[in-house]
Amino acid sequence: MSIRIGIMGYGNLGRGVELAVEKAGDMELKAVFTRREPGSLTIRTEGVPVVSADEAEGWQDKIDVMILCGGSATDLPWQAPLCAQWFNIVDSFDTHAAIAQHFKDVDDGAKKGGHIGIISVGWDPGLFSLARVYGHAILPDSRAYTFWGRGVSQGHSDAIRRIKGVKDARQYTVPVPQALETARRGEQADFTPRQMHTRECYVVPEEGASEEDKARIEQEIKTMPHYFDEYDTTVHFITQAELQEKHSGLPHGGCVIRTSRTGKEDEHKHVMEFSLALDSNPEFTTSVLVAYARAAYTLSKEGQTGCRTVLDIAPSYLCQEGAAELRSHLL
Amino acid sequence: MSIRIGIMGYGNLGRGVELAVEKAGDMELKAVFTRREPGSLTIRTEGVPVVSADEAEGWQDKIDVMILCGGSATDLPWQAPLCAQWFNIVDSFDTHAAIAQHFKDVDDGAKKGGHIGIISVGWDPGLFSLARVYGHAILPDSRAYTFWGRGVSQGHSDAIRRIKGVKDARQYTVPVPQALETARRGEQADFTPRQMHTRECYVVPEEGASEEDKARIEQEIKTMPHYFDEYDTTVHFITQAELQEKHSGLPHGGCVIRTSRTGKEDEHKHVMEFSLALDSNPEFTTSVLVAYARAAYTLSKEGQTGCRTVLDIAPSYLCQEGAAELRSHLL
């Protein structure tokens, strides 16, 4: 019998989950839930209903795992604990500073409903967290360096779009090559944000913008606290057509590098590196979500309840093959 | 209270475990067991007894986890199931074709004794298996390519040393750069062994070897079934002094590359890569063994018994920090 999947929210992530479920041999998409008018939405999969999010509670016995595709800022903090009362859930909550609270809220909801909730799934947090934890466990007296990019940061792009006179924008986060080399060489360096990443901005000004307008926009970007002021930032003004043509994708990636030394006199260097190069950040993220939806289903079948993260889940739970088959083909 | 560790076998791996336990803040080395005359062995850690392997059974209540440092060919197949009756154990069994049988034997022994046995721990099998399984789960319709090296293969070095007229030898396994590039580009190519790796041999002939002797040795190496005949192999004759000076280390490493495509028309490419560059193969391997010894201890404390592999163990079990601390610092 297939694992019956629901999608909550049909933006970039929701569409990505739909594609990933299609490729999973053991899953079936049962419904897409939206806060928009359901009739206004056309989805890829034929024959699957689009349902108002308000009616989700009524689908409890038709869905095994609900994959939450909302945003971390305003959707997931209330949606995940609530949905965990009704379903096993998986989300991609990525506000690092608020994970402890989110974990507690989802744990409460999931235990109340007798379900499993897996939070903060994706590639960072997610696969990069795994790389950090495996590295930390194996080479304890060392540091991990996480580099992001080259890729589009949606948070930074949004921040630029909120500036007066900006029509559209894309921001790329780019690792500094010298910092990458230093980390790989195993020097346990202390980097400032500026030493690790640069920020490239492609900005479409509103029509009729003067040179002074552009100068002000550039200045506002470069001095924006936290987002840009701690980085070397370059600003390129382009047309909407050029943005569409050259910057419409959502590529991303990066790497986690851990180096350490062992030996009688620490004479042996070791470098562990996990890297990703992704043409579509949302489609890869949702591929991870779907693998962890399988784990949520199996854990729930075992009678487990409560909140989990990727750190709490054995790799074999992500696969549809049995343990013996994994041992013979992939170990 | 510290986790009390025993080391069974004091070769390269045993000495590596000793170093890694020294760096683990939550472990204590209790004894080293050897099949040699215990008095003939001097170990690094002062005050720790060296004990005859025959007396291991008597140490059951003094050791929490026994780390087995013998070889896969003749030691581990009988030693691991036997020791699992007496202790929680971790081993680095790496004969892929025999893992199913070894798993069953250790499972029987561990269940009989009420212990946990974690087998096939290291980097391959081990961390590379994890990379293969995470990749398989997340990008199911793709292939993983595992490249080894550049590094010393001890099995191949031994095979050369068994040839008549060879005094000493080192064999390096080297990935073919074009194959690496093809795999990273995401072409789902079928490689022959020859297309993926080359083999470099450094051979010290016995004194007084003639040119004819050398020609025969080179021929015997290059035509050796399985070990060399399926690869492009180069043979360099050098002196013992040069071998000692330039080839006395045991570096190794490699990478697992997985590429796939997602999207409405598979238009987005994704590359996942996990790589290792290790100055000392045995010292890194034993760092992994020691992290999984911690997992064996915790699983056993939970009342679990039987055989496990790295695929069955959640990453958080490898760390001494609690789950909440891991979530706040490493997630």
Side-chain angles (χ1 to χ4, degrees):
Chain A
M1 209 181 81
S2 292
I3 303 171
R4 300 168 302 170
I5 300 290
I7 294 174
M8 177 64 76
Y10 198 68
N12 281 335
L13 287 181
R15 286 191 294 271
V17 168
E18 187 177 23
L19 291 167
V21 167
E22 216 173 272
K23 287 202 177 172
D26 57 344
M27 295 185 177
E28 185 191 352
L29 181 61
K30 293 302 286 187
V32 170
F33 298 85
T34 178
R35 284 182 293 164
R36 290 179 266 174
E37 166 57 45
S40 71
L41 225 67
T42 306
I43 68 167
R44 174 183 167 93
T45 317
E46 282 178 24
V48 169
V50 178
V51 181
S52 165
D54 298 335
E55 296 170 26
E57 190 176 355
W59 283 71
Q60 290 183 60
D61 53 7
K62 299 188 201 77
I63 283 172
D64 296 312
V65 187
M66 182 72 89
I67 302 182
L68 305 183
C69 299
S72 298
T74 57
D75 301 324
L76 297 176
W78 64 270
Q79 210 176 45
L82 187 64
C83 283
Q85 295 184 29
W86 305 329
F87 308 99
N88 299 307
I89 63 145
V90 178
D91 81 19
S92 61
F93 188 79
D94 66 357
T95 311
H96 275 86
I99 283 177
Q101 184 61 48
H102 191 62
F103 186 92
K104 191 186 170 309
D105 295 343
V106 172
D107 197 53
D108 289 346
K111 281 180 175 157
K112 201 167 158 185
H115 296 116
I116 284 286
I118 310 182
I119 64 162
S120 301
V121 175
W123 59 274
D124 197 358
L127 302 186
F128 275 17
S129 318
L130 293 173
R132 288 187 288 261
V133 165
Y134 280 114
H136 170 71
I138 291 159
L139 300 172
D141 63 338
S142 63
R143 295 170 57 172
Y145 296 93
T146 304
F147 291 91
W148 297 278
R150 185 177 189 261
V152 173
S153 164
Q154 300 191 60
H156 287 80
S157 301
D158 289 343
I160 299 173
R161 279 191 286 264
R162 284 192 293 268
I163 293 173
K164 186 165 171 266
V166 171
K167 191 178 166 198
D168 205 347
R170 276 288 188 291
Q171 193 267 184
Y172 294 88
T173 305
V174 186
V176 174
Q178 296 89 316
L180 274 170
E181 283 163 32
T182 303
R184 287 193 184 115
R185 270 202 311 273
E187 297 174 24
Q188 305 284 307
D190 284 307
F191 294 117
T192 62
R194 191 181 305 276
Q195 287 171 323
M196 287 186 79
H197 295 95
T198 53
R199 300 198 173 278
E200 282 175 23
C201 311
Y202 294 85
V203 180
V204 183
E206 278 174 2
E207 260 174 70
S210 65
E211 287 309 308
E212 278 154 30
D213 291 332
K214 290 185 189 173
R216 175 191 51 79
I217 289 168
E218 180 164 347
Q219 182 64 11
E220 282 193 42
I221 294 172
K222 290 184 170 177
T223 58
M224 196 185 296
H226 309 304
Y227 281 88
F228 294 100
D229 65 339
E230 297 175 351
Y231 300 88
D232 289 337
T233 300
T234 53
V235 177
H236 308 273
F237 289 97
I238 61 174
T239 63
Q240 186 77 52
E242 190 180 343
L243 189 89
Q244 210 56 38
E245 189 195 326
K246 295 184 186 163
H247 306 286
S248 63
L250 292 170
H252 219 315
C255 59
V256 177
I257 299 170
R258 190 164 198 112
T259 61
S260 186
R261 290 177 169 274
T262 64
K264 290 181 184 172
E265 282 148 352
D266 278 345
E267 67 274 27
H268 297 132
K269 192 176 80 176
H270 307 291
V271 184
M272 303 174 71
E273 180 168 345
F274 176 68
S275 66
L276 293 171
L278 313 171
D279 277 356
S280 167
N281 183 354
E283 285 174 10
F284 185 81
T285 298
T286 50
S287 297
V288 185
L289 283 167
V290 165
Y292 278 92
R294 185 176 294 120
Y297 175 77
T298 307
L299 289 165
S300 173
K301 282 275 167 203
E302 291 178 1
Q304 300 197 41
T305 64
C307 192
R308 302 284 187 279
T309 74
V310 298
L311 307 181
D312 308 311
I313 294 173
S316 58
Y317 279 91
L318 308 182
C319 301
Q320 49 183 121
E321 295 84 356
E325 193 176 337
L326 291 178
R327 278 196 298 277
S328 55
H329 294 115
L330 293 165
L331 191 68
Chain B
M1 210 182 82
S2 291
I3 304 171
R4 299 167 303 170
I5 300 290
I7 293 174
M8 178 64 77
Y10 198 68
N12 281 334
L13 287 181
R15 286 191 295 271
V17 168
E18 187 177 24
L19 290 166
V21 167
E22 215 174 273
K23 286 200 177 174
D26 58 343
M27 295 184 176
E28 185 191 352
L29 180 61
K30 294 301 286 186
V32 171
F33 297 86
T34 179
R35 284 182 292 164
R36 289 178 267 173
E37 166 57 44
S40 72
L41 225 68
T42 305
I43 68 167
R44 174 183 167 92
T45 317
E46 283 178 23
V48 169
V50 179
V51 181
S52 166
D54 298 334
E55 296 170 26
E57 191 177 355
W59 284 71
Q60 290 184 60
D61 53 7
K62 299 188 201 75
I63 283 173
D64 296 311
V65 187
M66 183 72 88
I67 303 181
L68 305 183
C69 298
S72 297
T74 55
D75 301 323
L76 297 175
W78 64 269
Q79 210 175 45
L82 186 65
C83 283
Q85 295 184 29
W86 305 329
F87 309 99
N88 299 305
I89 63 144
V90 178
D91 80 18
S92 61
F93 188 80
D94 66 357
T95 312
H96 276 85
I99 284 177
Q101 185 61 47
H102 191 62
F103 185 92
K104 192 186 169 309
D105 294 343
V106 171
D107 197 52
D108 289 346
K111 281 180 175 155
K112 200 168 160 188
H115 296 116
I116 284 286
I118 310 180
I119 63 161
S120 302
V121 175
W123 60 274
D124 197 357
L127 302 186
F128 275 17
S129 318
L130 293 172
R132 288 188 287 263
V133 165
Y134 280 114
H136 170 72
I138 291 159
L139 301 172
D141 64 337
S142 63
R143 295 169 56 171
Y145 297 92
T146 303
F147 291 91
W148 296 277
R150 185 175 189 264
V152 173
S153 164
Q154 300 189 59
H156 287 80
S157 301
D158 288 343
I160 299 173
R161 279 191 286 263
R162 284 193 293 267
I163 293 174
K164 187 167 170 269
V166 171
K167 190 177 165 199
D168 204 348
R170 276 289 187 290
Q171 193 268 184
Y172 293 88
T173 305
V174 187
V176 175
Q178 296 91 317
L180 274 170
E181 282 163 32
T182 304
R184 286 194 185 113
R185 270 201 311 271
E187 297 173 23
Q188 306 284 306
D190 283 309
F191 294 117
T192 62
R194 192 180 304 276
Q195 287 170 323
M196 287 186 80
H197 295 95
T198 53
R199 301 197 175 278
E200 283 175 20
C201 310
Y202 294 85
V203 179
V204 182
E206 277 175 3
E207 259 174 71
S210 65
E211 286 310 308
E212 278 153 29
D213 291 332
K214 290 185 191 175
R216 174 190 51 80
I217 290 169
E218 180 165 347
Q219 182 65 11
E220 282 194 40
I221 294 172
K222 288 184 170 177
T223 57
M224 195 185 296
H226 309 302
Y227 281 88
F228 293 100
D229 66 340
E230 296 175 351
Y231 300 87
D232 288 336
T233 300
T234 53
V235 177
H236 308 273
F237 288 97
I238 61 175
T239 64
Q240 184 77 52
E242 191 179 343
L243 189 89
Q244 210 56 36
E245 188 195 327
K246 296 184 184 162
H247 306 285
S248 63
L250 293 170
H252 219 315
C255 58
V256 177
I257 298 170
R258 190 164 200 113
T259 61
S260 186
R261 289 176 170 276
T262 65
K264 290 180 183 173
E265 283 150 350
D266 279 343
E267 68 274 28
H268 297 133
K269 191 177 81 177
H270 307 290
V271 184
M272 302 173 72
E273 180 168 343
F274 176 67
S275 65
L276 293 171
L278 313 172
D279 277 355
S280 166
N281 183 354
E283 285 175 9
F284 185 80
T285 298
T286 49
S287 298
V288 185
L289 283 167
V290 165
Y292 278 92
R294 185 176 293 120
Y297 174 77
T298 307
L299 290 165
S300 174
K301 282 276 166 203
E302 291 177 2
Q304 299 197 42
T305 64
C307 193
R308 303 284 186 281
T309 74
V310 299
L311 307 181
D312 307 311
I313 293 174
S316 59
Y317 279 93
L318 308 183
C319 302
Q320 49 182 124
E321 295 83 357
E325 194 177 336
L326 290 178
R327 279 197 297 276
S328 54
H329 293 116
L330 293 166
L331 193 69

